[in-house]
Amino acid sequence: MFDNPYIALIFLGLFFRSAGFLVRDELMLRVLMIIGTFCDIVFYALQTPSIWGSVMTNTVLVVINASLIIIIVFERSILFMSKTDRRVFEQFMTLSPGQFRWVNRRARWRIADRRSVLLHEGEASDALFFINAPTYTVEKQGVSYTAKGPAFVGEIMLLQGGVASATVIAHKGAIYAEWDAHKLRCAMRKTVHWATP
């Protein structure tokens, strides 16, 4: 075995794969696995005769890992987001680009064709809103004032339940998004469940 002039490739591949299992970052893990598996491919291809079965099976593993690397990079990148999506993403400080895309796909975007009341003071709502406009109106205990956007509306009810502490009104022409709060809560519970060791 050790008289094989290419045996070092096997141990080099083992080194890279072992290093991959020692890192916590999935992207780095898959990169190291590709390098390690590629070393095996070269070793089997250089044998006399070449061991094509092992070359092909290891090539399949490289292709799978390469495909997942592309997916991971896409989920971590904002390169393919529109300018509007990037502006909205900046408001989701705790989400990765991939998580934001998941949330954004479930949003119902609207343009207010008139003065639109999103929340009523003292009433419960099962919706979360994001107002993507410079300003909106807040009315609380008979007092009305202009608030600055972009901003979320209804996030306290999403997290804690209860009723709206104020009436929130989107101005005519304002762009806003609406989510089903119940579906968001279910998704949040699943995320917590899978993240809990």
Side-chain angles (χ1 to χ4, degrees):
M1 174 180 174
F2 290 99
D3 58 352
N4 189 311
Y6 306 113
I7 193 64
L9 288 168
I10 289 292
F11 292 104
L12 188 61
L14 176 63
F15 169 78
F16 281 113
R17 287 195 300 274
S18 299
F21 286 119
L22 293 175
V23 299
R24 299 187 64 178
D25 182 71
E26 185 182 4
L27 179 60
M28 185 56 63
L29 161 65
R30 295 194 178 279
V31 168
L32 291 171
M33 291 298 291
I34 283 180
I35 296 172
T37 307
F38 184 74
C39 289
D40 287 356
I41 291 172
V42 174
F43 172 79
Y44 292 125
L46 292 175
Q47 300 308 296
T48 306
S50 298
I51 308 174
W52 292 112
S54 295
V55 170
M56 288 186 290
T57 54
N58 280 285
T59 300
V60 170
L61 294 177
V62 168
V63 170
I64 291 172
N65 276 297
S67 300
L68 289 171
I69 284 174
I70 292 172
I71 293 172
I72 293 169
V73 170
F74 177 75
E75 288 182 345
R76 295 183 182 184
S77 173
I78 64 172
L79 292 176
F80 304 102
M81 285 186 191
S82 67
K83 289 183 179 180
T84 300
D85 285 348
R86 289 187 188 187
R87 184 182 179 194
V88 177
F89 173 63
E90 290 173 359
Q91 308 300 317
F92 289 79
M93 301 300 294
T94 60
L95 299 184
S96 70
Q99 291 169 328
F100 167 73
R101 287 186 179 95
W102 184 93
V103 170
N104 198 35
R105 281 196 300 270
R106 285 152 180 80
R108 296 185 293 274
W109 286 93
R110 296 185 172 93
I111 299 176
D113 56 2
R114 60 183 180 276
R115 188 173 181 268
S116 303
V117 178
L118 305 183
L119 297 178
H120 292 272
E121 182 178 2
E123 296 182 10
S125 173
D126 200 30
L128 172 69
F129 297 94
F130 176 74
I131 303 175
N132 189 18
T135 61
Y136 60 98
T137 298
V138 176
E139 295 178 354
K140 186 169 184 178
Q141 298 178 351
V143 178
S144 177
Y145 63 92
T146 299
K148 290 184 177 182
F152 285 100
V153 176
E155 69 272 23
I156 302 301
M157 283 187 290
L158 170 69
L159 298 174
Q160 300 179 4
V163 297
S165 60
T167 296
V168 177
I169 303 165
H171 302 156
K172 181 179 179 180
I175 300 172
Y176 65 93
E178 179 182 352
W179 290 270
D180 184 318
H182 174 70
K183 292 181 180 179
L184 287 179
R185 288 190 202 100
C186 291
M188 290 163 62
R189 282 195 291 268
K190 288 179 181 178
T191 300
V192 171
H193 172 74
W194 287 109
T196 303

